[in-house]
Coordinates of all heavy atoms in Angstrom, one line a residue:
K35 N 3.6 25.9 -15.6 CA 2.8 26.9 -14.9 C 1.4 26.5 -14.7 O 0.8 26.6 -13.7 CB 2.9 28.3 -15.6 CG 2.2 29.4 -14.8 CD 2.5 30.7 -15.4 CE 1.8 31.7 -14.4 NZ 1.8 33.0 -14.8
L36 N 0.8 25.9 -15.8 CA -0.6 25.4 -15.7 C -0.7 24.3 -14.7 O -1.6 24.3 -13.9 CB -1.0 24.9 -17.1 CG -2.5 24.3 -17.1 CD1 -3.5 25.4 -16.9 CD2 -2.7 23.6 -18.4
R37 N 0.3 23.4 -14.6 CA 0.3 22.3 -13.6 C 0.3 22.9 -12.2 O -0.4 22.4 -11.4 CB 1.4 21.4 -13.9 CG 1.3 20.5 -15.0 CD 2.6 19.6 -15.2 NE 2.5 18.9 -16.4 CZ 3.6 18.4 -17.0 NH1 4.8 18.6 -16.5 NH2 3.4 17.7 -18.1
Q38 N 1.1 23.9 -12.0 CA 1.2 24.5 -10.7 C -0.1 25.2 -10.3 O -0.5 25.0 -9.2 CB 2.3 25.6 -10.7 CG 3.7 25.2 -10.3 CD 3.7 24.5 -9.0 OE1 3.9 23.3 -8.9 NE2 3.5 25.3 -7.9
E39 N -0.7 25.9 -11.2 CA -2.0 26.5 -10.9 C -3.1 25.5 -10.7 O -3.9 25.7 -9.8 CB -2.4 27.5 -12.0 CG -1.4 28.7 -12.0 CD -1.8 29.7 -13.1 OE1 -2.9 29.7 -13.7 OE2 -1.0 30.7 -13.3
V40 N -3.2 24.4 -11.4 CA -4.2 23.4 -11.2 C -3.9 22.7 -9.9 O -4.8 22.4 -9.1 CB -4.3 22.4 -12.4 CG1 -5.2 21.3 -12.1 CG2 -4.7 23.2 -13.7
Y41 N -2.6 22.5 -9.6 CA -2.3 21.9 -8.3 C -2.8 22.7 -7.1 O -3.4 22.2 -6.2 CB -0.8 21.7 -8.2 CG -0.4 21.3 -6.7 CD1 -0.6 20.0 -6.3 CD2 0.2 22.3 -5.9 CE1 -0.3 19.7 -5.0 CE2 0.5 21.9 -4.6 CZ 0.3 20.6 -4.1 OH 0.6 20.3 -2.8
Q42 N -2.6 24.0 -7.2 CA -3.1 24.9 -6.2 C -4.6 24.8 -6.0 O -5.1 24.9 -4.9 CB -2.7 26.4 -6.5 CG -1.3 26.7 -6.4 CD -0.7 26.4 -5.1 OE1 -1.2 26.7 -4.1 NE2 0.5 25.8 -5.1
L43 N -5.3 24.6 -7.1 CA -6.8 24.4 -7.0 C -7.1 23.0 -6.4 O -7.9 22.9 -5.5 CB -7.3 24.5 -8.4 CG -8.8 24.3 -8.6 CD1 -9.6 25.4 -8.1 CD2 -9.1 24.1 -10.1
V44 N -6.5 22.0 -6.9 CA -6.8 20.6 -6.5 C -6.4 20.3 -5.1 O -7.1 19.6 -4.4 CB -6.1 19.6 -7.5 CG1 -6.2 18.2 -7.0 CG2 -6.8 19.7 -8.9
Q45 N -5.3 20.8 -4.6 CA -4.8 20.4 -3.3 C -5.7 20.9 -2.2 O -5.6 20.4 -1.1 CB -3.3 20.9 -3.1 CG -3.1 22.4 -3.2 CD -3.2 23.1 -1.9 OE1 -3.0 22.6 -0.8 NE2 -3.4 24.4 -1.9
L46 N -6.6 21.8 -2.5 CA -7.6 22.2 -1.5 C -8.7 21.1 -1.3 O -9.2 21.0 -0.2 CB -8.3 23.5 -2.0 CG -7.5 24.7 -2.2 CD1 -8.3 25.8 -2.8 CD2 -6.9 25.2 -0.9
S47 N -8.9 20.3 -2.3 CA -9.9 19.2 -2.2 C -9.4 17.8 -2.1 O -10.2 16.9 -1.9 CB -10.8 19.3 -3.4 OG -11.4 20.6 -3.5
V48 N -8.1 17.6 -2.3 CA -7.6 16.3 -2.3 C -6.5 16.2 -1.2 O -5.5 16.9 -1.3 CB -6.9 15.9 -3.7 CG1 -6.3 14.5 -3.6 CG2 -7.9 16.0 -4.8
K49 N -6.8 15.4 -0.2 CA -5.9 15.3 1.0 C -5.2 13.9 0.8 O -5.7 13.0 0.2 CB -6.7 15.4 2.3 CG -7.4 16.7 2.5 CD -6.4 17.9 2.4 CE -7.1 19.2 2.5 NZ -6.3 20.3 2.2
T50 N -4.1 13.8 1.5 CA -3.3 12.6 1.5 C -3.1 11.9 2.8 O -3.4 12.5 3.9 CB -1.9 12.9 0.9 OG1 -1.2 13.8 1.8 CG2 -2.0 13.6 -0.5
D51 N -2.4 10.8 2.8 CA -2.1 10.1 4.1 C -1.1 11.0 4.9 O -1.2 11.1 6.1 CB -1.4 8.8 3.8 CG -2.3 7.8 3.2 OD1 -3.5 7.7 3.6 OD2 -1.9 7.0 2.4
Q52 N -0.2 11.7 4.2 CA 0.7 12.7 4.9 C -0.1 13.8 5.6 O 0.1 14.1 6.7 CB 1.6 13.3 3.8 CG 2.6 14.3 4.4 CD 3.4 15.0 3.3 OE1 3.3 14.7 2.1 NE2 4.2 15.9 3.7
D53 N -1.1 14.3 4.9 CA -2.0 15.3 5.5 C -2.7 14.8 6.7 O -2.8 15.5 7.8 CB -3.1 15.8 4.5 CG -2.5 16.6 3.3 OD1 -1.5 17.3 3.5 OD2 -3.1 16.4 2.2
L54 N -3.2 13.6 6.6 CA -3.9 12.9 7.7 C -3.0 12.8 8.9 O -3.4 13.1 10.1 CB -4.5 11.6 7.3 CG -5.2 10.7 8.3 CD1 -6.4 11.5 8.8 CD2 -5.6 9.4 7.7
H55 N -1.8 12.3 8.7 CA -0.8 12.1 9.8 C -0.4 13.4 10.4 O -0.5 13.6 11.6 CB 0.4 11.4 9.2 CG 1.5 11.1 10.2 ND1 1.3 10.2 11.2 CD2 2.7 11.6 10.4 CE1 2.4 10.2 12.0 NE2 3.3 11.0 11.5
E56 N -0.1 14.5 9.6 CA 0.3 15.7 10.1 C -0.9 16.4 10.9 O -0.6 17.0 12.0 CB 0.8 16.7 9.0 CG 2.1 16.2 8.4 CD 2.5 17.0 7.2 OE1 1.7 17.9 6.7 OE2 3.6 16.6 6.6
K57 N -2.1 16.3 10.4 CA -3.2 16.9 11.1 C -3.5 16.2 12.4 O -3.9 16.8 13.4 CB -4.4 17.0 10.2 CG -4.3 18.1 9.1 CD -5.6 18.3 8.4 CE -5.5 19.2 7.2 NZ -5.0 20.5 7.5
T58 N -3.3 14.9 12.4 CA -3.5 14.1 13.6 C -2.5 14.5 14.7 O -2.8 14.7 15.8 CB -3.4 12.6 13.3 OG1 -4.4 12.2 12.4 CG2 -3.6 11.8 14.6

Side-chain angles (χ1 to χ4, degrees):
K35 184 171 184 187
L36 180 69
R37 287 178 185 158
Q38 269 304 111
E39 290 182 9
V40 173
Y41 169 77
Q42 293 300 319
L43 176 72
V44 168
Q45 59 97 20
L46 300 171
S47 302
V48 180
K49 301 301 179 192
T50 65
D51 292 323
Q52 177 185 0
D53 294 323
L54 179 60
H55 181 67
E56 289 171 1
K57 288 188 185 302
T58 301

